[in-house]
Amino acid sequence: MDVNAAVAAAAAIAGVLTGVIAMLAFRWSERDLKRPTRTSLHTDPVLPPGVDTVLSVLRSSAVVLDEGDAVVKASSAAYALGLVRGGKLSVEPMLQMARDTRRDGEIRQVELDLPRRGTGRGEALAVSARVAPLGSRLVLLLVEDLTEARRIEAVRRDFVANVSHELKTPVGALSLLSEAVMDASDDPEAVQRFAGRMQIEATRLTNLVQELIDLSRVQNDDPLEDAEPVRVDELVAEAMDRCRHAAGTKQITMAAGGTADLSIWGNRGQLAAALGNLVENAVNYSPARTRVGIAARRVSAPGGDLIEIAVTDQGIGISDKDKERIFERFYRVDPARSRATGGTGLGLAIVKHVAASHSGEVTVWSSEGQGSTFTLRLPEAGAARDRAQQHPDLDDEAGQSAASHPPTSTDSPAYETLSAPEVLP
C-alpha cells in the first residue's frame, strides 16, 4: 500500500514539473516571436498610418525610401517615368537628395532634365523633384512631370513673338506710306501710287488677323457639334471658285477629278477652309501656265473607309528639311515669295488642326523643282459619325506634324486631266 502511494506521489510531482516546463517553453517562444530581428528591421518597414492612401491619390509620382535607400513604396507613375528600377531609385541626383534629407531633415526641391525611356532621339524629360522626411526612418520623394507645361509655354512664347513680328511689318509699312502721302500731297501720281501700296498692306493685315481668328476657332471649337454630311464635290468646287481669279491671272489651269458622290462627316466651314488653303497654296506657289489638280477617292482602312482629297501642283517643291516644319505656325519655305503672295504662314497650321479635329490627317509628298501633293485623309460620313458617337472627346494631340509621304502607284489618285503626269504621284 505504501509502495502504491509513493508511486502516485512521484507521478503527480512529475506531471506538475512537466506542466511548468511546458508553460515556460511556451512563454519563451512567444518572447522570441515578438523580438525584432535584424532582417525584419530592414526588410519590413511600415508606412505611417494614412500615408499609403494619400500616395495612391496623388497625381505626382511618389517614391518612399527606407534608411538603406531601398524602395518601400512607389506609384505606377514612378515606374512609368523610369524612376524606379530593380527596387532601387535609378536617378542619382534624386538619390543624393534623399540621403541629404535623411541626414539633416531638411526639405529639398530641384528641377532636372532626364533622358526619356524608350526613345533613341535624346529627348529630355523635364521634372520637378521634392524630397521630405517621412517619420524618423523613411524619406518621401515626389516627382512632377513638367515636360508638357514647358512645351506649351514654348509654343505660347513663340506664337506671341511671331504674331508681334508679323503684325509689325504691315503696320510699320502703313505708317511710312501715310507719311509719304502727306509729303506728296501736291503730287497726284505719287499719292495714287502710295495709296495703292497702302491698300496692299491693309489687305495683308486683314488676312493675317482673319487667319489668326480662324486658327483660334479651329483649336478651341468642337467641329462635331455642328457636324453634317458634307459632299466632297461641293468642297472642291468652292475651293476652286475661291482661287479662280488668282489662277486666271497666272494662266494656271485647275482640274478636278477622282471618284464622285463622296461625303465627309464634319463642320462644313472648317473643311472648306482647309481645302481652300491647300488649293490657294498650290496656285500661289506654282509658275505661270501650269496646272493644279484636285482629286478625291475612297480608300479602305481598319477603322472604316477614308476619303482622300489630294491637291497636286507643278510648283517649286519643298525640300526635305522644310517638309518637317511646314505645318508649324508662321513657318514659310520661301519668306520672300510668301510676302509677295500675301501669305501669313498660318494656312497649313489651320489645315493640320482641322484634319486632327475631324479624326484625320494631312500628309505631303514633294520634290524640289517638280511640285507637291498635299493629301487630306478624313473618315467617310458614315464611319466618322459612328466614331464620333462612340468617342465624343477628340484628342487634338492626334494632329502631329505630318511626315513626308513618298508616292506609290497604289497610294495616290489618278489625274488624267493633267498634261504633265510624270510629276504627279
Side-chain angles (χ1 to χ4, degrees):
M1 186 71 179
D2 292 337
V3 173
N4 292 333
V7 171
I13 294 173
V16 171
L17 291 176
T18 302
V20 171
I21 293 173
M23 183 179 65
L24 291 175
F26 177 75
R27 293 286 181 87
W28 188 267
S29 64
E30 277 192 333
R31 184 182 304 175
D32 285 342
L33 288 175
K34 292 181 180 180
R35 181 183 303 166
T37 63
R38 180 176 300 179
T39 303
S40 66
L41 284 174
H42 291 281
T43 61
D44 299 323
V46 180
L47 292 176
V51 172
D52 195 12
T53 303
V54 173
L55 295 182
S56 65
V57 299
L58 286 178
R59 298 183 62 182
S60 302
S61 303
V63 180
V64 178
L65 304 175
D66 64 10
E67 66 271 22
D69 293 334
V71 175
V72 177
K73 176 75 175 179
S75 64
S76 58
Y79 287 98
L81 288 179
L83 303 179
V84 178
R85 298 177 187 174
K88 293 288 186 179
L89 185 63
S90 61
V91 183
E92 184 60 33
M94 296 181 187
L95 189 59
Q96 187 59 47
M97 286 175 57
R99 292 167 179 168
D100 294 340
T101 296
R102 187 185 301 110
R103 184 181 62 253
D104 55 27
E106 293 186 4
I107 298 176
R108 289 174 169 82
Q109 184 169 354
V110 67
E111 292 188 2
L112 301 170
D113 290 332
L114 307 178
R116 191 186 295 269
R117 293 185 64 187
T119 63
R121 294 173 292 176
E123 296 180 353
L125 189 70
V127 298
S128 174
R130 185 177 179 87
V131 180
L134 188 64
S136 59
R137 298 167 44 208
L138 305 179
V139 174
L140 172 63
L141 170 67
L142 296 177
V143 180
E144 184 177 358
D145 188 356
L146 303 179
T147 308
E148 184 65 14
R150 285 192 181 180
R151 187 190 68 81
I152 294 175
E153 176 62 22
V155 170
R156 183 196 64 79
R157 185 170 55 251
D158 293 342
F159 184 75
V160 171
N162 287 327
V163 168
S164 302
H165 174 74
E166 295 295 332
L167 289 174
K168 183 174 66 176
T169 301
V171 169
L174 287 172
S175 177
L176 293 175
L177 288 169
S178 64
E179 293 178 6
V181 168
M182 294 178 61
D183 294 338
S185 57
D186 55 347
D187 186 351
E189 282 190 25
V191 170
Q192 187 175 4
R193 185 171 66 255
F194 293 144
R197 289 295 305 166
M198 290 178 69
Q199 287 183 341
I200 294 174
E201 295 298 334
T203 301
R204 178 176 296 172
L205 182 60
T206 301
N207 292 339
L208 175 59
V209 173
Q210 184 59 49
E211 290 202 343
L212 286 172
I213 294 172
D214 292 342
L215 180 61
S216 176
R217 182 178 294 118
V218 301
Q219 286 180 316
N220 297 326
D221 292 351
D222 182 2
L224 300 184
E225 287 184 358
D226 301 319
E228 58 179 333
V230 182
R231 288 178 56 85
V232 175
D233 295 342
E234 296 177 357
L235 291 177
V236 172
E238 185 175 339
M240 294 175 66
D241 288 340
R242 169 178 167 178
C243 305
R244 198 171 300 280
H245 176 71
T249 302
K250 300 173 65 174
Q251 300 180 20
I252 293 176
T253 301
M254 292 187 294
T259 307
D261 298 327
L262 299 177
S263 296
I264 300 171
W265 181 262
N267 184 291
R268 179 185 180 84
Q270 292 190 15
L271 293 172
L275 184 58
N277 285 344
L278 292 180
V279 176
E280 185 176 13
N281 281 352
V283 171
N284 289 338
Y285 286 90
S286 293
R289 294 178 295 278
T290 56
R291 292 176 181 262
V292 170
I294 308 145
R297 66 171 181 170
R298 179 188 293 109
V299 295
S300 299
D305 289 346
L306 298 176
I307 302 300
E308 282 189 353
I309 309 174
V311 179
T312 299
D313 63 62
Q314 298 170 315
I316 61 176
I318 305 170
S319 66
D320 291 337
K321 66 180 182 65
D322 288 322
K323 273 189 270 189
E324 299 178 358
R325 301 192 58 190
I326 56 175
F327 293 98
E328 296 179 10
R329 303 174 184 91
F330 296 108
Y331 186 79
R332 287 182 288 236
V333 175
D334 187 350
R337 190 181 184 93
S338 296
R339 293 191 182 281
T341 59
T344 62
L346 292 174
L348 290 180
I350 293 174
V351 174
K352 184 194 75 170
H353 283 288
V354 170
S357 63
H358 285 76
S359 299
E361 64 173 349
V362 56
T363 59
V364 58
W365 170 89
S366 186
S367 179
E368 290 187 271
Q370 297 187 35
S372 305
T373 297
F374 285 84
T375 303
L376 269 174
R377 290 186 179 90
L378 300 167
E380 196 173 11
R385 180 170 48 200
D386 296 340
R387 186 181 302 180
Q389 293 173 351
Q390 296 174 2
H391 306 285
D393 297 327
L394 296 177
D395 184 7
D396 186 56
E397 291 301 323
Q400 300 295 328
S401 298
S404 60
H405 184 65
T408 64
S409 58
T410 61
D411 196 35
S412 301
Y415 298 88
E416 295 85 351
T417 58
L418 299 182
S419 61
E422 66 275 5
V423 303
L424 302 175

